[in-house]
Amino acid sequence: MSDEAIQIIARGPRREAEAAAAALEAEPATEALTYSILEEDEDHDVWRIDAFPTEDHERTAIETVLGRFSDLRVTTEVLADADWLAMALSGLPPVRAGRFFVYGAHDRGLAPASTVNLRIEAGAAFGTGHHGTTVGCLLAFDELLKARRFPKVLDVGCGTGVLAIAAARTGSEVAVGTDIDRVSVRIANENATLNKAGARFVHASGLGHPEVRGAGPYDLVFANILAPPLVALSQEIKTALKPGGLAILSGLLRTQERRVLAAYLSKGFKLHRRLHRDAWATLVVRRPG
């Protein structure tokens, strides 16, 4: 791919946009794709997919997948700055999710005194707190904290570390995060230092890392990943939890909610709560006691 960074944008009705997003997830060539889906115009049922390919084959696959959906209008924009991620993040507003306030360095002066303030710098990792799935996890966690505390927390697919850091900042004595991307792990550890949070992050695929096993079992597991790995990890997440422990599952579209929930119900989990934000779903499930 040339040095020019591009953004592929698809607009159309919700049903078509959600189906296209699910198709992008199912396509092997786009399994590492960074994209978002959100409601752009509620009155006219316009939903928008933003995709950021980093390789030629990824761009081709995105265009092929989106081309199957005749009701989507697809455009491509060249981003002016090669450092497009930093450029985009510099304009992101801070996010309030329950008691949590997530912000970047450019908004450090806006943090209220009454909230749990999390300074999150993304660098080359994702999970700033702006995405609907991350906000859903923080809102679900905020609600759970009204009833109990979680001494041991695991964050699977930690990205920038925002969820484990939120746990550490609200009293969790153990907050461990994992990610399959080494850059994300480095950035998450840097964010933990920025926030003076006792969270630690390790490079791992699955839940078999010695530091993950050694710190368990957990009172709460965050898994803000994608629907297929959520299903695949359902037994490992059950094993990692204490009896009666809770899991906050996200990274899934509303259209994938039934499939993911079925995987956990089949392991004996009970649905505790569900949240919807834009096209995304967050599920809170409880391991049987």
Side-chain angles (χ1 to χ4, degrees), residues 158 176-186 189 200-206 208-212:
C158 63
V176 180
T178 72
D179 205 286
I180 60 174
D181 178 58
R182 292 184 185 277
V183 174
S184 291
V185 171
R186 174 179 61 78
N189 279 308
R200 64 183 189 274
F201 301 91
V202 298
H203 177 250
S205 177
H209 191 284
E211 285 199 41
V212 174

Side-chain angles (χ1 to χ4, degrees), residues 120-142:
I120 300 298
E121 305 299 339
F126 291 88
T128 60
H130 292 78
H131 197 279
T133 61
T134 310
V135 173
C137 287
L138 288 171
L139 287 171
F141 185 43
D142 175 68

Side-chain angles (χ1 to χ4, degrees), residues 151-209:
K152 291 187 175 186
V153 174
L154 173 64
D155 181 5
V156 181
C158 63
T160 55
V162 59
L163 298 175
I165 291 169
R169 288 285 310 279
T170 50
S172 296
E173 298 156 17
V174 174
V176 180
T178 72
D179 205 286
I180 60 174
D181 178 58
R182 292 184 185 277
V183 174
S184 291
V185 171
R186 174 179 61 78
I187 289 169
N189 279 308
E190 291 172 358
N191 281 327
T193 301
L194 272 178
N195 287 276
K196 297 181 172 60
R200 64 183 189 274
F201 301 91
V202 298
H203 177 250
S205 177
L207 282 68
H209 191 284

Side-chain angles (χ1 to χ4, degrees), residues 7 28 71-72 85-87 89 91 102 137 157 159 170 184 195 225 237 239 244 247 272 284 287-289:
Q7 175 181 3
D71 288 341
L72 292 182
L85 178 60
M87 176 189 69
L89 288 173
V102 184
C137 287
T170 50
S184 291
N195 287 276
I225 42 181
I237 288 174
T239 301
H272 178 76
V284 182
R287 179 186 164 166

